[in-house]
Amino acid sequence: MKTLIIVAHPQLADSATQAFLKAGAQLPDVTWHYLDERQSINVAAERQLLLVANRVILQFPLYWYSAPAILQIWEEQVLQVKGSLAGKELGVVVSTGVKAEAYQAGGAEQFTISELLRPFQALTHKLQMTYLQPFVLSQFAHLSESAKQRLFIAYQQYLTLSVSAAFSERESWFVERLKRMIAAKPELKDRVTLILEQLETQQEQLDELQWTLQMMKASENDDE
Amino acid sequence: MMTNDWLQQQINELAVTSEHYEEQALFRALAELVTEQEKRIEQTQGEIDGRTWDERQW
């Protein structure tokens, strides 16, 4: 699966959040594409990028409950109703300076992030794409180090894992990451290989137990 | 079979000793996944045992 990240941020160089996300996006089959306000949009090139992607991520800080202007301009120039985006996925990665709890009925901001991002959901629907649950970063600078590390991996999974991935897919995601680490880091090979083998053994064990349980349930249903 | 504690210990050691942020993050997330994996194994095994010993099934 190929993922394209469209980044809209007027002060990208000053954004610790975007630098953090960019480090997370250094993955195979993930393209980081920044919309530079100082340059005009090359419509054909943008459409070509969209064409080869399976998952498109719109990534931006929430400005006045919407995206920065450059993203609106990009949408107007690049998107076409009769394009070939049907069947692809669209996700929104949005950062906010306000705490997450504020975005709810009765909260300081009154409206949920899902409500505020509704135009993107409508756009996705119009383009016959599948809308992914938004990925929200609230008050990134205030997060603890362990929360940031958790976010780092959650973001990578948002870019690369299938929608509503089952637990077995999440296990396989880590198996793949460990295999890549073994190939890239000879000094870690022995230790990581042992971890990988044990992880896969437990994955098999869980699969077999779940299969056994399903068989038991099925036979109980037959008895009734 | 190696113990579950052994696996967690190995993962945590690598999370602490790694000099690369993304590796640390990966190992910490892996430790959480393994905790969840072991919980599911235990719960599923428990449910199988419960059904096996259900007197209505005798």
Side-chain angles (χ1 to χ4, degrees), chain B residues 13-51:
Chain B
E13 273 179 26
L14 282 172
V16 173
T17 55
S18 174
E19 291 170 3
H20 299 280
Y21 186 88
E22 58 195 78
E23 287 176 11
Q24 289 173 13
L26 184 73
F27 285 124
R28 288 192 203 285
L30 178 61
E32 288 180 9
L33 177 101
V34 167
T35 300
E36 176 66 20
Q37 188 186 49
E38 288 165 358
K39 192 178 88 187
R40 285 175 186 234
I41 288 172
E42 196 182 321
Q43 284 174 340
T44 312
Q45 184 66 62
E47 193 173 346
I48 290 171
D49 291 347
R51 283 172 186 270

Side-chain angles (χ1 to χ4, degrees), chain A residues 182-198:
Chain A
I182 289 167
K185 293 270 178 114
E187 69 276 17
L188 290 177
K189 186 182 171 197
D190 292 346
R191 297 185 72 183
V192 177
T193 300
L194 285 173
I195 289 172
L196 174 64
E197 285 171 357
Q198 183 63 14

Side-chain angles (χ1 to χ4, degrees), chain A residues 171-188:
Chain A
E171 289 173 311
S172 298
W173 189 86
F174 280 94
V175 165
E176 280 310 307
R177 294 300 303 274
L178 293 180
K179 283 181 178 170
R180 247 186 280 147
M181 192 183 288
I182 289 167
K185 293 270 178 114
E187 69 276 17
L188 290 177

